[in-house]
Amino acid sequence: MSTLSTKERILNSTEKLIAEHGFAELSIRKISQRAHTNLAAINYHFGNKQQLIDQVLERRLNNLFDIRKNMLDELNQGDPKKVCNLEQILHAFIAPALFMINDEHQGGRIFMQVLARAYAEQSEALHDLMKDRYTPIIKEFAEAIGLACPDLPRETIFWRFHFIIGALTYTMGHFGATSVARQMPEEEYFEKSVAELIEFAKAALSV
Amino acid sequence: MSTLSTKERILNSTEKLIAEHGFAELSIRKISQRAHTNLAAINYHFGNKQQLIDQVLERRLNNLFDIRKNMLDELNQGDPKKVCNLEQILHAFIAPALFMINDEHQGGRIFMQVLARAYAEQSEALHDLMKDRYTPIIKEFAEAIGLACPDLPRETIFWRFHFIIGALTYTMGHFGATSVARQMPEEEYFEKSVAELIEFAKAALSV
DNA sequence: ACGCAATTCAAACGACTGTTTAAATCAATT
DNA sequence: AATTGATTTAAACAGTCGTTTGAATTGCGT
């Protein structure tokens, strides 16, 4: 049916179905139907439904975290104590997430809706992934921001960064919805979102 | 069993079950069991499951919007063109939402997790409610912020306010989780959240 | 071309889903 | 006390759910 393997087709159709209709209506029958395969293929390749969902989340999140980490390391040049430019730090954190959304070919926007829903549902697998991979990188970014904003107390940095993550998460999850309401072309609106969010974060950290 | 009516007990148990286990595991059998009533009582009082969920959302959202609107009108003194203090405007928007969270007696924190989940699931009923009631009030606040920040372009106001709403929504949805991680008493942490979020929003609108 | 392992498939399992039906119970009015 | 309407109940309905089973099929190394 396609050049992709059964396993890949299952992962893709799962992602699309979650984005389109949420977790509530997600069934392995619909998944297998959309992936042009059999019911039992899912249990064969992934064990059970939950482990399939976990792998959908992991597949892209690991990628996002790697990109963020690499961009920060490039600024750092391997030295966590190096003082970097605030805008570049924020760019390294924000841009990969939003670029992933705009990567229509790879279904990035779809994934962000999936992620937003899994986050709200407080998925256990997602929580574990966050603790193991996300939190350490968050801390690295917080450290870098602290060095770039020497006038702000450590505690303030924590709070402001927390709120910036909130603004980013909200924007990612509602990107499709808001872009419809705008009158500019979607591509233009996307780039505007990235720029405005970075400007917003800079302003929030400047006082 | 209780002083509350069957209808109220159903609404409350629904809210609690969504907050505890999400929409995925929500069944009218569990709801009726927890409300100490019969299966068919739900269909009798609410028509069907979806209309029950809709009423759970509406019950509290209408209340939140009313409070916000009243607080803004008090600042305005009924005149939408009156220039108000930025901090007071932000307080009128942010505080009612966070106070609702802290109202443990009325189950406010529970509701905010419900709201976060419904929002992620892109509930149709919630979307309609937003369009009819939320959007107009958002616009009123945006107007008031615009008057309070004469140096910022109208478009910038739009973006920054959008991000502030994101930070607020994120904080509401994850309040339970983050408060566990903090070492200060919960009550203190709550008040700190409100103050920090208002300071954050002020900073984000000051440049 | 054979044999073995990996993969795919149809079918069935038991459990759970939302909703409907009609009978039973309750509360209030005449 | 009888009657009426509102409420609650138990039971059944027709689907869908995730998972398992064992047979059929495929593809690859020999």
PDB file of all heavy atoms in Angstrom, chain B residues 108-134:
ATOM      1  N   GLY B 108     -12.754  24.178  43.354  1.00  0.00           N
ATOM      2  CA  GLY B 108     -12.243  24.982  42.251  1.00  0.00           C
ATOM      3  C   GLY B 108     -11.037  24.366  41.569  1.00  0.00           C
ATOM      4  O   GLY B 108     -10.924  24.366  40.355  1.00  0.00           O
ATOM      5  N   ARG B 109     -10.136  23.813  42.357  1.00  0.00           N
ATOM      6  CA  ARG B 109      -8.926  23.251  41.756  1.00  0.00           C
ATOM      7  C   ARG B 109      -9.268  22.069  40.869  1.00  0.00           C
ATOM      8  O   ARG B 109      -8.696  21.881  39.804  1.00  0.00           O
ATOM      9  CB  ARG B 109      -7.931  22.821  42.849  1.00  0.00           C
ATOM     10  CG  ARG B 109      -6.598  22.410  42.278  1.00  0.00           C
ATOM     11  CD  ARG B 109      -5.537  22.324  43.338  1.00  0.00           C
ATOM     12  NE  ARG B 109      -5.671  23.404  44.305  1.00  0.00           N
ATOM     13  CZ  ARG B 109      -4.873  23.550  45.346  1.00  0.00           C
ATOM     14  NH1 ARG B 109      -3.903  22.685  45.550  1.00  0.00           N
ATOM     15  NH2 ARG B 109      -5.053  24.544  46.170  1.00  0.00           N
ATOM     16  N   ILE B 110     -10.214  21.281  41.352  1.00  0.00           N
ATOM     17  CA  ILE B 110     -10.676  20.159  40.545  1.00  0.00           C
ATOM     18  C   ILE B 110     -11.164  20.639  39.195  1.00  0.00           C
ATOM     19  O   ILE B 110     -10.811  20.108  38.155  1.00  0.00           O
ATOM     20  CB  ILE B 110     -11.810  19.414  41.280  1.00  0.00           C
ATOM     21  CG1 ILE B 110     -11.241  18.615  42.449  1.00  0.00           C
ATOM     22  CG2 ILE B 110     -12.559  18.487  40.327  1.00  0.00           C
ATOM     23  CD1 ILE B 110     -12.302  18.071  43.366  1.00  0.00           C
ATOM     24  N   PHE B 111     -11.947  21.725  39.226  1.00  0.00           N
ATOM     25  CA  PHE B 111     -12.537  22.189  37.985  1.00  0.00           C
ATOM     26  C   PHE B 111     -11.489  22.656  36.994  1.00  0.00           C
ATOM     27  O   PHE B 111     -11.640  22.463  35.787  1.00  0.00           O
ATOM     28  CB  PHE B 111     -13.515  23.330  38.247  1.00  0.00           C
ATOM     29  CG  PHE B 111     -14.024  23.949  36.991  1.00  0.00           C
ATOM     30  CD1 PHE B 111     -14.842  23.223  36.142  1.00  0.00           C
ATOM     31  CD2 PHE B 111     -13.648  25.223  36.620  1.00  0.00           C
ATOM     32  CE1 PHE B 111     -15.293  23.782  34.969  1.00  0.00           C
ATOM     33  CE2 PHE B 111     -14.099  25.783  35.453  1.00  0.00           C
ATOM     34  CZ  PHE B 111     -14.923  25.066  34.621  1.00  0.00           C
ATOM     35  N   MET B 112     -10.418  23.250  37.506  1.00  0.00           N
ATOM     36  CA  MET B 112      -9.421  23.781  36.585  1.00  0.00           C
ATOM     37  C   MET B 112      -8.718  22.659  35.823  1.00  0.00           C
ATOM     38  O   MET B 112      -8.332  22.816  34.672  1.00  0.00           O
ATOM     39  CB  MET B 112      -8.397  24.632  37.340  1.00  0.00           C
ATOM     40  CG  MET B 112      -8.929  26.014  37.626  1.00  0.00           C
ATOM     41  SD  MET B 112      -9.491  26.858  36.105  1.00  0.00           S
ATOM     42  CE  MET B 112     -10.679  28.014  36.774  1.00  0.00           C
ATOM     43  N   GLN B 113      -8.560  21.506  36.469  1.00  0.00           N
ATOM     44  CA  GLN B 113      -7.994  20.363  35.756  1.00  0.00           C
ATOM     45  C   GLN B 113      -8.988  19.860  34.715  1.00  0.00           C
ATOM     46  O   GLN B 113      -8.609  19.457  33.618  1.00  0.00           O
ATOM     47  CB  GLN B 113      -7.624  19.261  36.749  1.00  0.00           C
ATOM     48  CG  GLN B 113      -6.463  19.661  37.653  1.00  0.00           C
ATOM     49  CD  GLN B 113      -6.229  18.668  38.774  1.00  0.00           C
ATOM     50  OE1 GLN B 113      -6.667  17.525  38.714  1.00  0.00           O
ATOM     51  NE2 GLN B 113      -5.534  19.112  39.803  1.00  0.00           N
ATOM     52  N   VAL B 114     -10.245  19.899  35.085  1.00  0.00           N
ATOM     53  CA  VAL B 114     -11.293  19.517  34.137  1.00  0.00           C
ATOM     54  C   VAL B 114     -11.258  20.447  32.927  1.00  0.00           C
ATOM     55  O   VAL B 114     -11.274  20.002  31.779  1.00  0.00           O
ATOM     56  CB  VAL B 114     -12.687  19.594  34.799  1.00  0.00           C
ATOM     57  CG1 VAL B 114     -13.780  19.394  33.760  1.00  0.00           C
ATOM     58  CG2 VAL B 114     -12.800  18.570  35.914  1.00  0.00           C
ATOM     59  N   LEU B 115     -11.169  21.732  33.223  1.00  0.00           N
ATOM     60  CA  LEU B 115     -11.161  22.724  32.159  1.00  0.00           C
ATOM     61  C   LEU B 115      -9.957  22.527  31.231  1.00  0.00           C
ATOM     62  O   LEU B 115     -10.083  22.568  30.006  1.00  0.00           O
ATOM     63  CB  LEU B 115     -11.138  24.129  32.762  1.00  0.00           C
ATOM     64  CG  LEU B 115     -11.280  25.279  31.783  1.00  0.00           C
ATOM     65  CD1 LEU B 115     -12.587  25.188  31.025  1.00  0.00           C
ATOM     66  CD2 LEU B 115     -11.164  26.610  32.498  1.00  0.00           C
ATOM     67  N   ALA B 116      -8.797  22.304  31.837  1.00  0.00           N
ATOM     68  CA  ALA B 116      -7.583  22.107  31.046  1.00  0.00           C
ATOM     69  C   ALA B 116      -7.731  20.910  30.121  1.00  0.00           C
ATOM     70  O   ALA B 116      -7.314  20.933  28.962  1.00  0.00           O
ATOM     71  CB  ALA B 116      -6.376  21.923  31.967  1.00  0.00           C
ATOM     72  N   ARG B 117      -8.349  19.861  30.618  1.00  0.00           N
ATOM     73  CA  ARG B 117      -8.523  18.656  29.814  1.00  0.00           C
ATOM     74  C   ARG B 117      -9.546  18.867  28.705  1.00  0.00           C
ATOM     75  O   ARG B 117      -9.348  18.435  27.577  1.00  0.00           O
ATOM     76  CB  ARG B 117      -8.949  17.493  30.702  1.00  0.00           C
ATOM     77  CG  ARG B 117      -7.827  17.040  31.591  1.00  0.00           C
ATOM     78  CD  ARG B 117      -8.207  15.882  32.482  1.00  0.00           C
ATOM     79  NE  ARG B 117      -7.004  15.425  33.177  1.00  0.00           N
ATOM     80  CZ  ARG B 117      -6.870  14.228  33.704  1.00  0.00           C
ATOM     81  NH1 ARG B 117      -7.839  13.358  33.629  1.00  0.00           N
ATOM     82  NH2 ARG B 117      -5.760  13.882  34.297  1.00  0.00           N
ATOM     83  N   ALA B 118     -10.638  19.538  29.040  1.00  0.00           N
ATOM     84  CA  ALA B 118     -11.655  19.813  28.035  1.00  0.00           C
ATOM     85  C   ALA B 118     -11.087  20.713  26.941  1.00  0.00           C
ATOM     86  O   ALA B 118     -11.384  20.550  25.764  1.00  0.00           O
ATOM     87  CB  ALA B 118     -12.867  20.467  28.687  1.00  0.00           C
ATOM     88  N   TYR B 119     -10.233  21.653  27.372  1.00  0.00           N
ATOM     89  CA  TYR B 119      -9.643  22.573  26.423  1.00  0.00           C
ATOM     90  C   TYR B 119      -8.735  21.827  25.450  1.00  0.00           C
ATOM     91  O   TYR B 119      -8.770  22.065  24.243  1.00  0.00           O
ATOM     92  CB  TYR B 119      -8.849  23.638  27.178  1.00  0.00           C
ATOM     93  CG  TYR B 119      -8.844  24.961  26.485  1.00  0.00           C
ATOM     94  CD1 TYR B 119     -10.020  25.675  26.313  1.00  0.00           C
ATOM     95  CD2 TYR B 119      -7.672  25.505  25.979  1.00  0.00           C
ATOM     96  CE1 TYR B 119     -10.023  26.887  25.668  1.00  0.00           C
ATOM     97  CE2 TYR B 119      -7.662  26.721  25.333  1.00  0.00           C
ATOM     98  CZ  TYR B 119      -8.851  27.407  25.180  1.00  0.00           C
ATOM     99  OH  TYR B 119      -8.850  28.610  24.530  1.00  0.00           O
ATOM    100  N   ALA B 120      -7.948  20.913  25.972  1.00  0.00           N
ATOM    101  CA  ALA B 120      -7.042  20.136  25.134  1.00  0.00           C
ATOM    102  C   ALA B 120      -7.816  19.214  24.201  1.00  0.00           C
ATOM    103  O   ALA B 120      -7.444  19.003  23.055  1.00  0.00           O
ATOM    104  CB  ALA B 120      -6.084  19.322  26.002  1.00  0.00           C
ATOM    105  N   GLU B 121      -8.919  18.696  24.704  1.00  0.00           N
ATOM    106  CA  GLU B 121      -9.729  17.794  23.878  1.00  0.00           C
ATOM    107  C   GLU B 121     -10.535  18.571  22.847  1.00  0.00           C
ATOM    108  O   GLU B 121     -11.229  17.995  22.027  1.00  0.00           O
ATOM    109  CB  GLU B 121     -10.668  16.971  24.770  1.00  0.00           C
ATOM    110  CG  GLU B 121      -9.983  15.862  25.543  1.00  0.00           C
ATOM    111  CD  GLU B 121      -9.662  14.667  24.654  1.00  0.00           C
ATOM    112  OE1 GLU B 121     -10.301  14.505  23.604  1.00  0.00           O
ATOM    113  OE2 GLU B 121      -8.748  13.903  25.010  1.00  0.00           O
ATOM    114  N   GLN B 122     -10.456  19.881  22.918  1.00  0.00           N
ATOM    115  CA  GLN B 122     -11.181  20.758  22.007  1.00  0.00           C
ATOM    116  C   GLN B 122     -12.676  20.435  21.994  1.00  0.00           C
ATOM    117  O   GLN B 122     -13.285  20.263  20.940  1.00  0.00           O
ATOM    118  CB  GLN B 122     -10.578  20.679  20.603  1.00  0.00           C
ATOM    119  CG  GLN B 122      -9.123  21.158  20.594  1.00  0.00           C
ATOM    120  CD  GLN B 122      -8.503  21.116  19.206  1.00  0.00           C
ATOM    121  OE1 GLN B 122      -9.161  20.737  18.254  1.00  0.00           O
ATOM    122  NE2 GLN B 122      -7.253  21.505  19.101  1.00  0.00           N
ATOM    123  N   SER B 123     -13.205  20.363  23.213  1.00  0.00           N
ATOM    124  CA  SER B 123     -14.636  20.111  23.395  1.00  0.00           C
ATOM    125  C   SER B 123     -15.482  21.103  22.610  1.00  0.00           C
ATOM    126  O   SER B 123     -15.249  22.314  22.644  1.00  0.00           O
ATOM    127  CB  SER B 123     -14.970  20.212  24.889  1.00  0.00           C
ATOM    128  OG  SER B 123     -16.301  20.634  25.061  1.00  0.00           O
ATOM    129  N   GLU B 124     -16.438  20.599  21.869  1.00  0.00           N
ATOM    130  CA  GLU B 124     -17.283  21.450  21.046  1.00  0.00           C
ATOM    131  C   GLU B 124     -18.121  22.397  21.910  1.00  0.00           C
ATOM    132  O   GLU B 124     -18.254  23.575  21.611  1.00  0.00           O
ATOM    133  CB  GLU B 124     -18.206  20.578  20.183  1.00  0.00           C
ATOM    134  CG  GLU B 124     -18.503  21.184  18.821  1.00  0.00           C
ATOM    135  CD  GLU B 124     -19.286  20.205  17.961  1.00  0.00           C
ATOM    136  OE1 GLU B 124     -18.711  19.160  17.567  1.00  0.00           O
ATOM    137  OE2 GLU B 124     -20.451  20.477  17.701  1.00  0.00           O
ATOM    138  N   ALA B 125     -18.659  21.864  22.987  1.00  0.00           N
ATOM    139  CA  ALA B 125     -19.475  22.687  23.875  1.00  0.00           C
ATOM    140  C   ALA B 125     -18.640  23.814  24.461  1.00  0.00           C
ATOM    141  O   ALA B 125     -19.092  24.964  24.542  1.00  0.00           O
ATOM    142  CB  ALA B 125     -20.047  21.824  24.998  1.00  0.00           C
ATOM    143  N   LEU B 126     -17.417  23.486  24.846  1.00  0.00           N
ATOM    144  CA  LEU B 126     -16.532  24.499  25.409  1.00  0.00           C
ATOM    145  C   LEU B 126     -16.210  25.553  24.359  1.00  0.00           C
ATOM    146  O   LEU B 126     -16.156  26.739  24.650  1.00  0.00           O
ATOM    147  CB  LEU B 126     -15.247  23.828  25.913  1.00  0.00           C
ATOM    148  CG  LEU B 126     -14.259  24.731  26.634  1.00  0.00           C
ATOM    149  CD1 LEU B 126     -14.914  25.413  27.818  1.00  0.00           C
ATOM    150  CD2 LEU B 126     -13.044  23.941  27.093  1.00  0.00           C
ATOM    151  N   HIS B 127     -16.001  25.099  23.139  1.00  0.00           N
ATOM    152  CA  HIS B 127     -15.689  26.023  22.050  1.00  0.00           C
ATOM    153  C   HIS B 127     -16.836  27.010  21.824  1.00  0.00           C
ATOM    154  O   HIS B 127     -16.616  28.200  21.629  1.00  0.00           O
ATOM    155  CB  HIS B 127     -15.406  25.230  20.775  1.00  0.00           C
ATOM    156  CG  HIS B 127     -14.939  26.091  19.640  1.00  0.00           C
ATOM    157  ND1 HIS B 127     -15.785  26.599  18.694  1.00  0.00           N
ATOM    158  CD2 HIS B 127     -13.702  26.542  19.320  1.00  0.00           C
ATOM    159  CE1 HIS B 127     -15.083  27.326  17.832  1.00  0.00           C
ATOM    160  NE2 HIS B 127     -13.819  27.304  18.179  1.00  0.00           N
ATOM    161  N   ASP B 128     -18.058  26.498  21.838  1.00  0.00           N
ATOM    162  CA  ASP B 128     -19.217  27.363  21.669  1.00  0.00           C
ATOM    163  C   ASP B 128     -19.322  28.375  22.810  1.00  0.00           C
ATOM    164  O   ASP B 128     -19.580  29.558  22.597  1.00  0.00           O
ATOM    165  CB  ASP B 128     -20.507  26.516  21.610  1.00  0.00           C
ATOM    166  CG  ASP B 128     -20.567  25.668  20.353  1.00  0.00           C
ATOM    167  OD1 ASP B 128     -19.798  25.939  19.418  1.00  0.00           O
ATOM    168  OD2 ASP B 128     -21.389  24.743  20.305  1.00  0.00           O
ATOM    169  N   LEU B 129     -19.104  27.877  24.012  1.00  0.00           N
ATOM    170  CA  LEU B 129     -19.166  28.743  25.184  1.00  0.00           C
ATOM    171  C   LEU B 129     -18.127  29.852  25.084  1.00  0.00           C
ATOM    172  O   LEU B 129     -18.387  31.007  25.417  1.00  0.00           O
ATOM    173  CB  LEU B 129     -18.926  27.894  26.440  1.00  0.00           C
ATOM    174  CG  LEU B 129     -19.601  28.360  27.715  1.00  0.00           C
ATOM    175  CD1 LEU B 129     -21.097  28.291  27.580  1.00  0.00           C
ATOM    176  CD2 LEU B 129     -19.133  27.529  28.893  1.00  0.00           C
ATOM    177  N   MET B 130     -16.939  29.482  24.611  1.00  0.00           N
ATOM    178  CA  MET B 130     -15.868  30.456  24.446  1.00  0.00           C
ATOM    179  C   MET B 130     -16.296  31.541  23.466  1.00  0.00           C
ATOM    180  O   MET B 130     -16.139  32.719  23.723  1.00  0.00           O
ATOM    181  CB  MET B 130     -14.606  29.765  23.903  1.00  0.00           C
ATOM    182  CG  MET B 130     -13.936  28.855  24.880  1.00  0.00           C
ATOM    183  SD  MET B 130     -13.010  29.797  26.131  1.00  0.00           S
ATOM    184  CE  MET B 130     -12.729  28.518  27.343  1.00  0.00           C
ATOM    185  N   LYS B 131     -16.831  31.104  22.329  1.00  0.00           N
ATOM    186  CA  LYS B 131     -17.190  32.045  21.270  1.00  0.00           C
ATOM    187  C   LYS B 131     -18.278  33.011  21.746  1.00  0.00           C
ATOM    188  O   LYS B 131     -18.228  34.204  21.483  1.00  0.00           O
ATOM    189  CB  LYS B 131     -17.671  31.272  20.027  1.00  0.00           C
ATOM    190  CG  LYS B 131     -17.286  31.925  18.709  1.00  0.00           C
ATOM    191  CD  LYS B 131     -17.722  31.098  17.517  1.00  0.00           C
ATOM    192  CE  LYS B 131     -19.230  30.954  17.433  1.00  0.00           C
ATOM    193  NZ  LYS B 131     -19.657  30.132  16.282  1.00  0.00           N
ATOM    194  N   ASP B 132     -19.256  32.477  22.468  1.00  0.00           N
ATOM    195  CA  ASP B 132     -20.385  33.299  22.880  1.00  0.00           C
ATOM    196  C   ASP B 132     -20.062  34.222  24.046  1.00  0.00           C
ATOM    197  O   ASP B 132     -20.481  35.357  24.090  1.00  0.00           O
ATOM    198  CB  ASP B 132     -21.577  32.403  23.263  1.00  0.00           C
ATOM    199  CG  ASP B 132     -22.092  31.629  22.056  1.00  0.00           C
ATOM    200  OD1 ASP B 132     -21.761  32.011  20.924  1.00  0.00           O
ATOM    201  OD2 ASP B 132     -22.822  30.644  22.255  1.00  0.00           O
ATOM    202  N   ARG B 133     -19.309  33.708  25.014  1.00  0.00           N
ATOM    203  CA  ARG B 133     -19.132  34.470  26.244  1.00  0.00           C
ATOM    204  C   ARG B 133     -17.700  34.928  26.481  1.00  0.00           C
ATOM    205  O   ARG B 133     -17.458  35.997  27.022  1.00  0.00           O
ATOM    206  CB  ARG B 133     -19.604  33.644  27.449  1.00  0.00           C
ATOM    207  CG  ARG B 133     -21.095  33.359  27.436  1.00  0.00           C
ATOM    208  CD  ARG B 133     -21.550  33.006  28.833  1.00  0.00           C
ATOM    209  NE  ARG B 133     -20.868  33.791  29.848  1.00  0.00           N
ATOM    210  CZ  ARG B 133     -21.471  34.433  30.828  1.00  0.00           C
ATOM    211  NH1 ARG B 133     -22.764  34.364  30.940  1.00  0.00           N
ATOM    212  NH2 ARG B 133     -20.777  35.115  31.711  1.00  0.00           N
ATOM    213  N   TYR B 134     -16.740  34.070  26.147  1.00  0.00           N
ATOM    214  CA  TYR B 134     -15.350  34.357  26.498  1.00  0.00           C
ATOM    215  C   TYR B 134     -14.772  35.436  25.589  1.00  0.00           C
ATOM    216  O   TYR B 134     -14.206  36.417  26.067  1.00  0.00           O
ATOM    217  CB  TYR B 134     -14.544  33.070  26.387  1.00  0.00           C
ATOM    218  CG  TYR B 134     -13.257  33.055  27.158  1.00  0.00           C
ATOM    219  CD1 TYR B 134     -13.253  33.192  28.542  1.00  0.00           C
ATOM    220  CD2 TYR B 134     -12.039  32.875  26.513  1.00  0.00           C
ATOM    221  CE1 TYR B 134     -12.071  33.166  29.245  1.00  0.00           C
ATOM    222  CE2 TYR B 134     -10.863  32.846  27.215  1.00  0.00           C
ATOM    223  CZ  TYR B 134     -10.870  33.002  28.577  1.00  0.00           C
ATOM    224  OH  TYR B 134      -9.709  32.974  29.266  1.00  0.00           O
TER     225      TYR B 134
END
